[in-house]
Amino acid sequence: MPNVAAMMERSLPGSVLEVLRTAASVASREPESARELYLVGGMVRDMLRGEASEDIDLSVVGDGPAFASALASELNGDVTKISEFGTAAVEAGSLSIDVATARDETYEHPGALPTVTPAGITKDLARRDFTINAMAVDLSNASWGELIDPHGGMSDLMMKRIRTLHTDSFADDPTRALRAIRYESRLGFKIQPVTVNDMQRDCGNFDAVSPARALADLRHILDEPQRATSLERAEELGVLGSISPAFRIAGRSLKAIQDTPDREPIFHVALIGARLTQAEAASLIKRLDPPVDWRAALGAGSTYQEIASVLERSDLRPSEIAELLEGFPVLALEAQLQLAPATRQKAALRSWLEELRFREPLLSGDDLLAAGVPQGPLVGRLLAELKRARLDRTVGTRDDELTLVKRRLPVMLNDNGGY
Ligand code: CTP
């Protein structure tokens, strides 16, 4: 077994090494909670590539939550969550440490949450998603730094390969398809043809994945800089379609996602929604059951498409542009602006977003009452009229607005029988 202790010294930040050493001494003191202790997951993968990562994943043969609480008190940290699967999280300063009880997993039916039983590290590694994520570094004092790599993860790292451990991996957990794609884009690796075959064969099992889990893995993709590459690949491999047949991303939207690397994830959701039909947006929302900002971002696209051609008219007044665009979420219109070809529509969107939406009358409701307008619906109607006049620049000063009110009030009173 190769020993990677020297590599750990070189690649891991001092604060992480310190936590790992503390964990090793807690384990030697409390063997009933940790007969064996390992560093696992992304930190092992990234360290072997010479890169530092933030999140520490520990696996203990014993009792994960009990070990987490001993570790937390040694580090002056807190145990923040304990799950039914024998895992617990420790927060210590800026570091977050996940502690899991080494376990075996079986799946009652494809896509279901696993049934978990405590196990040794060999079984714990065998239940994992990809060979590059199925390595462990022994942290016990006697064998500190020994690399356990039963599935050829190190050689796949060197060959830049994403490979599952067994042919039914995606049937067990279809969300691994999104994970494979995310690692491929992030690391510049290649999903192996056999793994692609398995993925495409078993992606139909996405039906059994809950909205919350599908949404969580999509969010992970949107959170990473290579999101456009991942989304394009997920569409090409049929993974988006397995999540929902309504899930497609227009080429223009993909390019716009790529062109806006610094925008927040919800803006990219709006770019996805921008070219969906109403039926597609509705069924995607039903499938993902996302929070309200996602619903608005996905749903606004089809409503906008209904009015897009009107925005091409050359005779539109600013107040008419306002009437068309008021009520749309700003983010959805920003997404449309990003997508629009250089036409009148684009100019209208820009003028609404940058200027028109901020134009308000100078007079307030109180000013209208002071000018003799009776309390009631007329106040709102006059304010709306003032706003239109200001948008179209037919009024300039406060006096212009008062003059308009005095001219319109008798007419409106007359129309309204006094109100
Ligand atoms: N894992 C898995 N199957 C999943 C999710 C996670 O096998 N569906 C395993 C992998 O071994 C993974 C580890 O759990 O390495 C930790 O999961 P996570 O924190 O999501 O990923 P990391 O590998 O730490 O990678 P990332 O850099 O994306 O956080």
Side-chain angles (χ1 to χ4, degrees):
M1 259 184 285
N3 191 297
V4 295
M7 191 178 262
M8 289 163 77
E9 295 282 338
R10 268 201 313 275
S11 302
L12 298 180
S15 55
V16 170
L17 274 172
E18 179 114 4
V19 166
L20 300 185
R21 291 208 178 93
T22 307
S25 81
V26 172
S28 69
R29 212 179 53 218
E30 301 205 12
E32 61 287 358
S33 69
R35 291 190 296 284
E36 297 169 32
L37 170 69
Y38 301 92
L39 178 66
V40 290
M43 185 167 275
V44 176
R45 177 196 68 223
D46 292 340
M47 176 191 73
L48 294 173
R49 295 171 53 244
E51 298 206 350
S53 53
E54 297 282 296
D55 299 331
I56 304 175
D57 281 306
L58 299 177
S59 181
V60 299
V61 177
D63 181 344
F67 179 76
S69 115
L71 180 62
S73 66
E74 192 72 21
L75 294 169
N76 286 325
D78 295 302
V79 177
T80 51
K81 49 182 184 241
I82 297 182
S83 90
E84 60 193 297
F85 299 118
T87 66
V90 175
E91 301 283 339
S94 62
L95 288 174
S96 110
I97 306 144
D98 282 334
V99 181
T101 311
R103 61 193 194 261
D104 192 11
E105 288 178 348
T106 47
Y107 295 84
E108 233 158 75
H109 58 83
L113 287 176
T115 308
V116 164
T117 40
I121 191 68
T122 308
K123 287 236 163 92
D124 188 79
L125 294 178
R127 73 174 169 85
R128 290 173 185 263
D129 51 5
F130 309 113
T131 60
I132 58 168
N133 285 343
M135 293 181 274
V137 175
D138 198 331
L139 298 181
S140 53
N141 285 330
S143 30
W144 173 268
E146 274 180 17
L147 179 71
I148 300 165
D149 177 16
H151 305 284
M154 187 66 203
S155 111
D156 282 342
L157 265 188
M158 291 194 312
M159 306 293 287
K160 298 179 181 280
R161 294 194 289 227
I162 312 278
R163 196 162 58 84
T164 45
L165 309 192
H166 61 90
T167 188
D168 293 325
S169 191
F170 296 105
D172 288 346
D173 179 357
T175 65
R176 288 177 173 163
L178 290 172
R179 291 173 62 84
I181 288 163
R182 184 156 58 87
Y183 290 123
E184 188 180 62
S185 321
R186 187 207 296 173
L187 305 174
F189 284 21
K190 197 87 202 136
I191 305 173
Q192 291 307 282
V194 178
T195 298
V196 169
N197 272 357
D198 293 347
M199 181 192 288
Q200 294 187 312
R201 184 195 64 215
D202 289 332
C203 250
N205 292 321
F206 242 109
D207 287 348
V209 172
S210 70
R213 290 185 68 215
L215 184 66
D217 275 294
L218 271 177
R219 282 182 191 275
H220 286 314
I221 284 188
L222 291 175
D223 282 341
E224 297 200 2
Q226 303 78 8
R227 55 186 78 83
T229 315
S230 290
L231 290 169
E232 185 173 20
R233 184 80 162 127
E235 175 146 61
E236 171 193 299
L237 291 174
V239 178
L240 295 188
S242 314
I243 297 172
S244 158
F247 198 172
R248 58 170 183 92
I249 304 188
R252 247 194 137 79
S253 294
L254 267 181
K255 167 142 190 354
I257 291 171
Q258 189 136 34
D259 290 345
T260 53
D262 298 327
R263 289 299 307 255
E264 63 281 28
I266 191 68
F267 179 71
H268 296 132
V269 175
L271 282 170
I272 295 172
R275 290 291 181 267
L276 295 178
T277 65
Q278 195 180 12
E280 285 169 336
S283 79
L284 192 52
I285 287 170
K286 187 155 180 259
R287 172 66 180 98
L288 296 176
D289 192 21
V292 64
D293 57 341
W294 273 60
R295 286 168 188 268
L298 288 172
S302 62
T303 321
Y304 175 84
Q305 286 164 53
E306 285 168 18
I307 56 119
S309 62
V310 186
L311 290 174
E312 294 293 352
R313 272 175 33 196
S314 60
D315 57 345
L316 275 187
R317 288 197 303 272
S319 60
E320 291 171 312
I321 294 176
E323 201 176 323
L324 289 164
L325 297 182
E326 226 158 17
F328 277 99
V330 167
L331 212 74
L333 295 182
E334 286 174 346
Q336 296 295 347
L337 178 65
Q338 186 70 32
L339 291 169
T343 57
R344 287 197 190 93
Q345 180 194 164
K346 185 165 195 154
L349 279 167
R350 180 165 285 136
S351 85
W352 167 253
L353 286 168
E354 290 176 2
E355 204 218 327
L356 297 180
R357 73 188 166 106
F358 303 111
R359 260 194 228 166
E360 291 294 337
L362 300 178
L363 296 181
S364 67
D366 283 343
D367 293 330
L368 296 192
L369 294 177
V373 179
Q375 202 150 20
L378 273 191
V379 176
R381 283 177 56 200
L382 274 166
L383 282 174
E385 211 162 295
L386 285 174
K387 183 163 175 173
R388 277 197 295 279
R390 183 145 293 280
L391 283 164
D392 295 336
R393 295 200 189 284
T394 56
V395 290
T397 64
R398 208 179 145 87
D399 278 348
D400 292 345
E401 290 192 7
L402 278 172
T403 309
L404 178 74
V405 170
K406 290 203 171 114
R407 181 160 51 80
R408 292 291 296 145
L409 182 60
V411 183
M412 285 184 169
L413 278 172
N414 202 25
D415 287 352
N416 256 27
Y419 283 96

